[in-house]
Each structure stands twice: as structure tokens, then as C-alpha cells.
Amino acid sequence: MPKYVYRFCEGDKDQKDLLGGKGANLAEMTKLGLPVPPGFTVTTDACRAYLRDGEVPDELAVQVTRALREVEEELGRQLGDPDDPLLVSVRSGAKFSMPGMMETVLNIGLNDSSVEGLAKVSGDSRFAWDSYRRLIQMFGKTVLDVDGDLFSSALDTKKSDRGVTMDYELSVGALQELVSEFKEIVRKETGTAFPQDPREQLDLATEAVFRSWNTERAHIYRRREKIPHDLGTAVNVCTMVFGNMGETSGTGVCFTRDPSTGRAGVYGDYLVNAQGEDVVAGIRNTLSLADLEELDKVSYDELRAAMRRLETHYRDLCDIEFTIERGKLWLLQTRVGKRTAGAAFRVATQLVDERMITIDEALTRVTGEQLTQLMFPQFATGAERDLLTRAMPASPGAAVGKIAFNNEEAQAMAEAGISCILVRRETNPDDLPGMVAAAGVLTARGGKTSHAAVVARGMGKTCVCGAESLDVDAASKTLRVRGHDGVFTSQDTIAIDGTTGEVFLGDVAVVDSPVMTYIHSGLEKALEAAPDEDTRELVLAVDRLMQHADSVRRLSVRANADTPEDARNAVARGAQGVGLCRTEHMFLGERRQFVQDLILASTDEERVAALAALLPLQKGDFIEMMETMDSKPMTVRLIDPPLHEFLPDLTELSVKVAVDKANGVLDPADEELLHVVRAHHEANPMLGLRGVRLLLTMPGLIELQVRAIAEAAVERLRVGGNPRPEIMIPLVGSVRELQIARDRAQKVLDEVSEESGMDLSFPIGAMIELPRAALTSEHIASEADFFSFGTNDLTQTTWGFSRDDVEGSFFGHYTDEGIFGVSPFETLDRDGVGQMVRIGAEGARATKPGIKLGVCGEHGGDPDSIQFFHSVGLNYVSCSPYRVPVARLEAGRAVILDEVQDEAQATA
Ligand code: PEP
Ligand code: MG
């Protein structure tokens, strides 16, 4: 029979899976000899059995009896004894804290007779009857599913009838009446009487906690916090101690350091003559710990000693719930406290300075997510907001501006110095100028890897996407929001929060992030700009941990950068090279025409002319990039997207031709163009003529791009530069494709080398974006100087998910169903796509042990994915310039976390 029940004196802090966080920590505190009221924990195993079978396992009741008897013997009192009742609390406690998501029932064991006993032994009838009414209220609501408002309104009515405002001002008589009224509510709502048998109360409350695991709000919380749905919760049954026994009693929460700022020094709230949730519920103004010191020095000193003891024991910021019962301190809960991102960095380095942890450990106490939060501009806390809608938080930050419906508006506003938010149904490469001009981007369609999301993240621009309730009419330049009156125009201001996905109407104050100043302008400038000591300490903490991460990490960090400006940004943030320069972006705007000419060319001469027009432009791009990235590797990916992206839209052109034809004004060039557009149309362009396939079938394209790279390099070499381009072929599926592309590229390099007399031995490598490429990596590696895993496409092709469509359509449903916790386009799916990367890397190294392996998909900047890439032994990750610092930090953390894991395995 599984052991379903553990006394607090049996477990320890490492048993969170089984005892939940609260249970494990109660056990640990008991072990430390701290004043914890006796009790026991019902395991998560029991909860899972209940959730699986729909009923409490038989054995549980027996084990509960044994544990309860032991507690009773220890205290010399019995649960619900009419003369001197032992009372218990029943609290949920899962492995991960889910504040307020599940239920607590206090004062179990009270009934019509034990309430009298309690009154007698406590000498306080008011207290006894108040405890009883609380039990019926909490039990009724939580266990019996009675509408909680019925109890609160009865309580309110009673207070107003008696002319009082505070609960504690109600007389014994009033409380006795309330108890009767509450019992009547229970009888009326459930058809049965409030259970008088203490053990029945305990069993029903335990079952209710099990059930509360599956409430809607618990589900929503777990989804947001990425907590698996199958963990279940433990149940803690703890002897009641009372903070509501008069003026020498009270209840409080305290932190060993300030969890919100990270400031050293204790912090806490205390409420005199109160019980349980009263402190957090904000019913009355709380006192500070300093006030407590004045009120009750003995308890205060004991609390401070316990705080110090716990912090030393856990070697981290702890939060503690305590109760003082008639001058006696009891600790009811502790845990390593949740904290803000800023507090995480500060506390970690404080603990290093206090010699409590090593700097290596400090690195494990902060995360890339936290650094990200610290880098984005923020809406000022406490600012007034008017929520319009909520959608997908695609690129964090806070942006405020007037609504711009197109490029022209956005650019005009930017030029006039007016901040704007580009609002589109969805974006495509044509919207780039508007995105650049805008402070943020809001779309009605598309997911986290939609064009808007990817580009905005790449630019470090705030973006909220997939806001389905928006009706964006670009033609009439109006925005409607379902559920809101009114039509918004470019005269209206909105604010978007890319961290929460919220969209607000009107202005919301934004503040600059000091950590961003540090990343941008260095330590000295950031310290100069810091408005106070707290900020200085934060900046110093971030700097210290970043430096340590850089000193230990094995992964290099490169950036995905298509323009010299991106590249400069990336280098400023510590990028060691460019891991992906997407060259198709260089063919947009005015140059689109030349690409169209190339596609439309019907003779060799026309084609050669179009290529010749493109060559100097491409070369110019590369010269500037190479100058920016001098001496650093710069991976140039040859053109990838299908050609139709450079052609007019098929539907629009068809309509124009049809209309013009009907009106007798048809331009034959349009008809010809339509013919070509039709010929290039593909049902599934992502799986069509793109990448290496396009390079192999469109004569002259490889030669153009490689010549531009080679000639640019020659120019840089002539002025003493050190260009280090690496030529990358996208979407390779077979070694033969790579071989042909490589031979053609090499031929051009050789030609230019001969023409210039310069050594142009640049690496030529493959992007691994298809399962076939990963599975045949041994062969492909024979023709490649390096691999770069394009995990965006590799995710798309491994799962068979269209990256442009799926996130906005059914991913919400998939996460609800637990098919995955987070989109595989955001965090690498280790089990599937990760295996492809692993197989690809192993195959490549089998053929060429020293081959350089990198990753350049969006996952290159994702903390969890970076941990994985480190474990597979890749050489570098490449991510958007904005995420470079995050990648540096995570790459450092990966080394330490790996060591921790190895040590754990060695001792196991
Ligand atoms: C990829 O597929 O991971 C990649 C980096 O290429 P793109 O996103 O341009 O297809
Ligand atoms: Mg790709």
C-alpha cells in the first residue's frame, strides 16, 4: 500500500513532488526545531489516485486516523472534543505554489458542542463563536459549493444591523445568530445540515482540496505558469493556532528580504487579533515588523531568529507565514520566496557578498526571462489603464502611440515626432517601413511566429498580435473593438503591453529600463543615470552576473542581423558574430523591381541585365555589413523565400486585369505579369520552390549573391579589413543539392579570387531545416564546412505545422489539452525537433569531428532551448540582437546547471 500520509516530522524539503511545496517546507521547519504546530500531509499520490478514480483511496482514511491519533496524543487533546477541542486547518499545497488558486479550510473540529468547549478553555466566547462562523462560511463555500456571497452578505447585514463596521466588533450574541443563519444557508442551499462530526468535516475538506486542483481558475493559472496539469496537490492538515485570541495575538507574513525591490533587510506585515487570510485580504491596515517589535518584543526576536535561521538554511530569500497566539510564536509556512526580476538579481549578488552562495550558484538564481523583463521599457506601476482587449504577447515591452493604419501614416507620424502604434490585420514584408517607424505593432491575426511577431522581436519592438476582437479596416482607417463602443481612428492613442498582451485605450505612462541603459551604453553610463541606490545596486548585480556568465559559457552567441544597424546593435550587446543574415530583405523596397525583372526575363540578355543591376546593390550591402562585423564571422544566407513574394498579389492583379479588360484599357504588360504570377503561384509555398531549390533552378542567382559577397570582401581586404563571411545554403534536403550549390558558389569565389589576387577561402555550409537533412547529416556534412540548424523551419517540417497559420488558429486549444505546454515555435520541442538537432549534430560530427554547429532559428534566443543546445554541444546560438544578452546569460547558466546535474547524478 502506498504511504499516503506523512507526519511533519517525517518528511523534508526535498520531497516537494510528494508532499507539495508547503508540506515539504513544514516538514523541513519541523526538522529544524522551529515552532511549527504539529500536523501531517496527505500526499500528491493520494490526490492523483482521487483524480484518477473519482474517489478517495480506502487506505487513506486509515492512515489519516493513525496520523491524527499521533497528533492528538502529542497534544493531549482530541479533534472536536466537546470539552477541549483540537482544531485543524486543511490547506492545499502543490509542488509549485499556486497562490489563491486552491482552497483552505480553517477551524475544522468545531461544532455545536465543541464551540462551547473552546469558549470555556480559551475563556473567550467571542473568539470561539467567531471561529465557528468562519468554519461554516469557509466550509460552506469551499467544500459544499455554496455561493460565498450568501455568507458575506449575511455577515454585512449583521454588521450594519448592529451598527458596527469591523468583524471583530460583533458581539457573542451577534456571532451566535450568524452561526445559526450560516447553518440555515447551508441547509437551504445543499439540502443537508452542516456536518457536526469533526472527522467527517476533515474528510470532506480533504476531498474538496483534491477537487480544487481541477477548478477553472487553477487550470488557467497552471497554463499561464506552465505547471503540468497531472501533478495534483498535497493536503496539509495542521493543528490550529489562533491569531484572533485578542490583542496579544495576531497573524502576519514576512520576507527575509524585500521581494519586490530585492533590498536587503527584513520586510513584513502583521495584523493584530486576526486569523488566516485577513492579512492578505486587506481588511484592515497592517502593521510593520518594527511595530511588532514594539508590541511584542519576545515574539519579534524569536521571529527574527527564525527568519535568519531559515534564510541561512535555504540560502535564499524566504517568505514566512506566522501567527502569534497569546504571545506564543508559531510558524505556519515558509518557502523560497517569489520575487520580481530585479529582486532576483540583487538578492543573488547580495548572497554572494554575504558568502552564503558562490557566484556560480548566483547565476542559477536568475534567468534569461528575468533579464528580458528588466530590459524592456515598462509601463509605470500604478498608472491608470483602460483595457480594450487582450491578445498574444508577441514581443515584450510597453509602447504608447497614436494609431497608424499603414506605412505612410506611421512614417509621417514618426517624422513629426509623434509616437505611433502600427495597427494591421496582419503584416507582411511590405509593412516593414511602418514597423520601423512605429513604437509598437498590434495585429488582429497571427501567432507568435507570425511575420509581425518575428520581425518585431528581431527589432526589439513591442508587439501584441492575434487580437481577434479587433476589426481593422485599413481602407477607411478605422478600428473597432468587439465589446467596445466607438470607432477609433488615427486621432486615438492606444498603449500595448507586449509582456502581458494587453491593449489599453489612451495614454499609459512608460518608464525607461535602467538595465537597458546598461546593455546599450555600458556600466558607467547606467550608473550615472541611476536615480537611486536601489537602481545602482540592480545595475551592478546584472553586470556582475553577465560577466560571470560570459566567463564560463561554452556556447558562442551570435545575432541574426540583416542590416548594419542590426549588426551594430548586436555587437554592442555582446554578439560575437552574425549567425544569420537573411539576404531576401535586401531585395525589398525599390529593389523589388529588379527581382521582378529577373523573374520576368524571357531572354538571357534580360536576365543578365537584371542580375547586373542587382550586383552593385548587394555588394554595397555586404561591404557595410562586413565593415561592421570586421574580424567577426558573418553567416550570409543565400536567398530563401519563394519568388512569388516579390511579385504582385495574384488576386489583386487578376481583378485589375479583369476590370481593365472589361473597360478596354488593359495593359498587355499587366496581362503578361499575371501570366507569370500564375505560373509561380503555389498552394503550399513554404514547401515549394524556395531555398536551395530556388537557387538551383533560377539561373545566375547563386552566382550573383556569391559574387556580391566575394567582391565586397575584396574591397574590405583592400582597405585592410578582415571580412569573415560564411556562405550558407538554406533548406537543403539532400547532399547532392548542397554539392551542386556549393560547386557553383566555390567557382565564383575562385574566379573573384583570381581576378583580385586575394585569398577568398570562405566556409560554405548548410542550413539544417528539414528532417531529411538531419537524418542524412552524415552525408550532408561531407559537403559542408558548417551547419546551422534553422529550427523555425525544422519545427514546421518535423511537426508538419504551417508556421504562419497554426499558432493563431488551434494552438490555444492544444495548450488547453496539454498537447504541449508552450508553442514549439517558441521553445524547442526537445523530444521531437530536439532529436532532429541531436541526430543532425551527431551525424555531422561522425563525418567531420570538428565541424562548427550552430542554430539560427528563433529558439536561439529562448532560455529553455539554449539549455538544450548547450547540452547537445553546439558551438553557437544566433538570435535577434535584442536577445543577445539573454542568450549570453543562459549559455553561462547552462554550464553551471549542467555541473549541478552531473553532481546530483554522481551522488545518486
Ligand atoms: C529557420 O527556419 O529557422 C530560419 C532561421 O530561417 P527562416 O526563419 O528565415 O525561415
Ligand atoms: Mg528557414
Side-chain angles (χ1 to χ4, degrees):
M1 249 304 148
K3 184 170 165 55
Y4 285 132
V5 177
Y6 283 69
R7 291 281 317 275
F8 291 164
C9 50
E10 289 179 295
D12 67 45
K13 72 174 179 356
D14 298 323
Q15 289 179 294
K16 291 200 174 70
D17 285 335
L18 189 65
L19 304 179
K22 201 178 285 167
N25 287 325
L26 279 166
E28 190 74 14
M29 287 200 292
T30 306
K31 223 170 68 176
L32 285 173
L34 291 167
V36 176
F40 54 88
T41 301
V42 178
T43 64
T44 54
D45 274 350
C47 176
R48 283 192 297 269
Y50 173 82
L51 296 173
R52 186 189 58 226
D53 304 338
E55 58 186 13
V56 176
D58 282 346
E59 179 69 10
L60 179 61
V62 178
Q63 294 189 22
V64 165
T65 305
R66 264 208 306 265
L68 183 62
R69 292 266 166 102
E70 283 173 24
V71 172
E72 287 174 338
E73 275 160 31
E74 191 178 332
L75 295 170
R77 284 185 289 152
Q78 285 181 18
L79 182 68
D81 184 291
D83 297 323
D84 181 8
L86 169 74
L87 305 184
V88 296
S89 65
V90 172
R91 291 170 196 261
S92 61
K95 176 178 182 183
F96 302 106
S97 118
M98 294 168 56
M101 288 302 122
M102 290 184 295
E103 304 298 356
T104 291
V105 185
L106 305 179
N107 305 335
I108 294 222
L110 280 178
N111 54 25
D112 293 348
S113 50
S114 64
V115 66
E116 305 284 3
L118 184 65
K120 219 174 288 158
V121 287
S122 67
D124 186 345
S125 292
R126 214 209 73 81
F127 152 73
W129 285 95
D130 184 48
S131 301
Y132 193 21
R133 73 95 190 151
R134 285 174 192 256
L135 169 65
I136 305 170
Q137 184 167 2
M138 272 186 268
F139 196 96
K141 177 166 172 256
T142 305
V143 183
L144 304 174
D145 284 331
V146 177
D147 180 359
D149 288 346
L150 296 173
F151 298 110
S152 2
S153 26
L155 176 63
D156 289 342
T157 312
K158 188 64 63 194
K159 283 194 283 190
S160 70
D161 284 355
R162 298 293 170 120
V164 300
T165 49
M166 297 295 179
D167 297 1
Y168 62 80
E169 292 169 323
L170 286 172
S171 66
V172 177
L175 288 166
Q176 285 171 333
E177 284 170 25
L178 258 185
V179 163
S180 298
E181 287 163 26
F182 279 9
K183 284 199 291 193
E184 193 44 41
I185 292 174
V186 168
R187 187 190 307 276
K188 208 162 138 221
E189 294 297 310
T190 66
T192 46
F194 171 76
Q196 292 289 315
D197 175 10
R199 179 56 195 266
E200 190 186 349
Q201 292 172 0
L202 173 60
D203 290 344
L204 287 173
T206 305
E207 196 178 329
V209 173
F210 287 161
R211 268 201 315 269
S212 71
W213 177 257
N214 272 338
T215 56
E216 175 81 12
R217 64 179 180 177
H219 262 276
I220 293 170
Y221 183 85
R222 288 199 293 272
R223 211 178 301 140
R224 208 181 56 212
E225 297 293 313
K226 299 177 191 162
I227 298 172
H229 291 304
D230 56 2
L231 296 180
T233 180
V235 182
N236 299 294
V237 179
C238 187
T239 314
M240 283 297 303
V241 290
F242 298 97
N244 52 340
M245 274 195 167
E247 294 303 304
T248 55
S249 303
T251 184
V253 289
C254 60
F255 301 85
T256 56
R257 290 160 206 254
D258 186 337
S260 134
T261 62
R263 206 173 295 153
V266 299
Y267 175 91
D269 293 317
Y270 181 67
L271 202 54
V272 177
N273 199 7
Q275 189 176 39
E277 312 299 303
D278 293 349
V279 184
V280 271
I283 292 172
R284 279 179 270 151
N285 284 341
T286 53
L287 303 179
S288 68
L289 290 186
D291 298 328
L292 173 64
E293 185 176 14
E294 288 198 359
L295 273 179
D296 182 351
K297 175 90 169 101
V298 175
S299 298
Y300 171 81
D301 287 345
E302 200 184 341
L303 178 65
R304 286 298 303 263
M307 287 169 92
R308 189 178 159 86
R309 179 102 186 266
L310 283 170
E311 193 177 79
T312 311
H313 186 69
Y314 284 89
R315 300 185 310 128
D316 206 347
L317 180 163
C318 293
D319 78 33
I320 299 156
E321 276 180 25
F322 65 96
T323 281
I324 297 175
E325 183 184 288
R326 294 189 167 158
K328 161 84 183 112
L329 174 76
W330 292 100
L331 302 187
L332 302 184
Q333 182 181 329
T334 194
R335 63 183 168 194
V336 166
K338 292 199 176 196
R339 65 206 72 184
T340 63
F345 276 84
R346 286 178 66 183
V347 168
T349 50
Q350 283 163 11
L351 292 174
V352 175
D353 289 338
E354 293 166 28
R355 316 289 195 277
M356 294 254 275
I357 60 173
T358 63
I359 183 87
D360 277 355
E361 279 179 292
L363 205 47
T364 66
R365 300 279 180 92
V366 296
T367 65
E369 285 310 340
Q370 287 166 335
L371 182 63
T372 306
Q373 279 175 31
L374 291 173
M375 280 164 44
F376 283 101
Q378 304 140 4
F379 282 126
T381 43
E384 225 170 87
R385 301 137 175 238
D386 178 4
L387 186 69
L388 269 184
T389 185
R390 198 175 269 129
M392 224 172 289
S395 176
V400 185
K402 291 229 176 322
I403 300 172
F405 289 95
N406 56 34
N407 289 338
E408 292 70 36
E409 276 193 346
Q411 284 171 311
M413 289 193 206
E415 269 164 35
I418 301 167
S419 177
C420 67
I421 307 288
L422 182 70
V423 180
R424 305 280 299 165
R425 216 171 105 72
E426 58 208 336
T427 65
N428 63 48
D430 282 335
D431 296 311
L432 214 57
M435 295 180 75
V436 171
V441 182
L442 171 64
T443 67
R445 287 211 43 185
K448 280 192 183 162
T449 48
S450 63
H451 176 268
V454 171
V455 176
R457 267 201 301 278
M459 295 196 287
K461 194 146 286 198
T462 302
C463 175
V464 172
C465 62
E468 305 273 352
S469 65
L470 300 189
D471 178 6
V472 186
D473 187 343
S476 68
K477 296 191 191 161
T478 53
L479 169 69
R480 284 185 173 76
V481 185
R482 214 177 310 131
H484 275 263
D485 294 338
V487 181
F488 305 110
T489 68
S490 28
Q491 292 309 308
D492 291 297
T493 297
I494 55 170
I496 58 173
D497 189 330
T499 313
T500 61
E502 290 166 313
V503 180
F504 305 103
L505 181 63
D507 208 345
V508 182
V510 174
V511 290
D512 249 355
S513 132
V515 171
M516 196 62 234
T517 313
Y518 158 73
I519 300 282
H520 258 314
S521 323
L523 183 61
E524 219 171 290
K525 288 252 166 56
L527 289 178
E528 264 169 39
D532 52 38
E533 201 37 53
D534 280 339
T535 312
R536 280 176 60 84
E537 193 191 316
L538 171 64
V539 169
L540 284 167
V542 171
D543 174 62
R544 197 154 151 206
L545 291 174
M546 288 302 289
Q547 292 213 28
H548 188 62
D550 283 340
S551 74
V552 295
R553 68 186 159 89
R554 289 201 297 272
L555 277 172
S556 296
V557 176
R558 298 192 189 183
N560 295 353
D562 307 338
T563 64
E565 196 194 335
D566 278 354
R568 265 190 295 277
N569 263 330
V571 172
R573 286 164 193 171
Q576 294 158 289
V578 163
L580 174 64
C581 173
R582 290 177 164 108
T583 54
E584 55 271 17
H585 294 173
M586 297 171 174
F587 295 118
L588 295 174
E590 291 163 359
R591 301 183 190 178
R592 180 187 292 259
Q593 187 56 51
F594 297 119
V595 184
Q596 276 194 22
D597 292 348
L598 183 63
I599 302 168
L600 295 172
S602 51
T603 66
D604 275 357
E605 290 76 46
E606 281 172 8
R607 199 164 35 77
V608 169
L611 289 167
L614 280 167
L615 179 64
L617 301 171
Q618 270 269 267
K619 188 171 151 186
D621 298 327
F622 292 138
I623 291 174
E624 224 187 315
M625 281 291 278
M626 284 174 191
E627 192 176 349
T628 314
M629 296 309 296
D630 198 63
S631 299
K632 294 190 174 66
M634 177 181 121
T635 308
V636 181
R637 178 180 75 185
L638 303 189
I639 195 162
D640 182 23
L643 287 182
H644 74 83
E645 287 198 8
F646 300 94
L647 294 173
D649 179 77
L650 174 62
T651 316
E652 276 172 25
L653 189 60
S654 304
V655 172
K656 180 174 190 307
V657 167
V659 171
D660 288 354
K661 204 174 205 167
N663 293 335
V665 291
L666 179 63
D667 181 345
D670 280 348
E671 196 165 26
E672 172 66 19
L673 185 60
L674 178 60
H675 182 69
V676 175
V677 172
R678 269 210 193 104
H680 279 91
H681 183 72
E682 292 174 315
N684 292 308
M686 271 289 176
L687 300 177
L689 186 60
R690 56 173 285 221
V692 68
R693 306 161 192 171
L694 175 65
L695 288 163
L696 295 191
T697 47
M698 169 61 87
L701 206 47
I702 293 190
E703 286 76 6
L704 156 75
Q705 289 201 286
V706 177
R707 181 163 279 276
I709 295 167
E711 290 187 1
V714 166
E715 294 222 0
R716 288 294 307 148
L717 286 165
R718 289 210 168 112
V719 295
N722 178 17
R724 291 182 54 198
E726 301 177 338
I727 296 165
M728 182 156 78
I729 315 291
L731 216 74
V732 168
S734 101
V735 63
R736 184 70 189 132
E737 285 173 319
L738 179 61
Q739 197 176 44
I740 300 169
R742 184 194 174 104
D743 286 351
R744 282 172 53 185
Q746 191 58 54
K747 188 157 168 274
V748 179
L749 287 180
D750 292 345
E751 279 167 17
V752 180
S753 179
E754 194 157 315
E755 287 158 20
S756 62
M758 299 282 187
D759 175 17
L760 301 178
S761 31
F762 301 136
I764 301 174
M767 252 180 119
I768 305 298
E769 300 175 281
L770 299 171
R772 193 180 193 285
L775 297 173
T776 62
S777 59
E778 263 184 77
H779 303 297
I780 294 182
S782 65
E783 292 294 332
D785 298 321
F786 66 90
F787 274 4
S788 179
F789 291 92
T791 47
N792 300 337
D793 271 308
L794 195 55
T795 300
Q796 164 165 272
T797 53
T798 299
W799 275 94
F801 283 153
S802 160
R803 54 197 267 199
D804 292 329
D805 301 313
V806 288
E807 281 194 296
S809 61
F810 62 86
F811 267 27
H813 188 73
Y814 264 41
T815 37
D816 284 353
E817 296 282 353
I819 295 167
F820 33 68
V822 53
S823 160
F825 286 109
E826 206 177 324
T827 293
L828 191 83
D829 151 40
R830 294 184 182 211
D831 296 341
V833 183
Q835 285 313 304
M836 287 292 172
V837 174
R838 194 187 293 279
I839 292 167
E842 284 168 1
R845 292 210 164 111
T847 303
K848 282 190 184 161
I851 190 168
K852 198 187 304 177
L853 304 175
V855 61
C856 63
E858 283 287 300
H859 306 89
D862 171 68
D864 185 75
S865 313
I866 292 169
Q867 302 286 328
F868 176 80
F869 297 136
H870 168 87
S871 73
V872 179
L874 299 192
N875 301 93
Y876 69 86
V877 293
S878 186
C879 56
S880 79
Y882 198 80
R883 293 190 75 81
V884 164
V886 174
R888 286 164 49 205
L889 185 75
E890 284 295 338
R893 278 167 41 76
V895 175
I896 313 293
L897 292 172
D898 238 18
E899 285 168 7
V900 174
Q901 228 167 36
D902 288 351
E903 272 166 32
Q905 270 162 9
T907 46

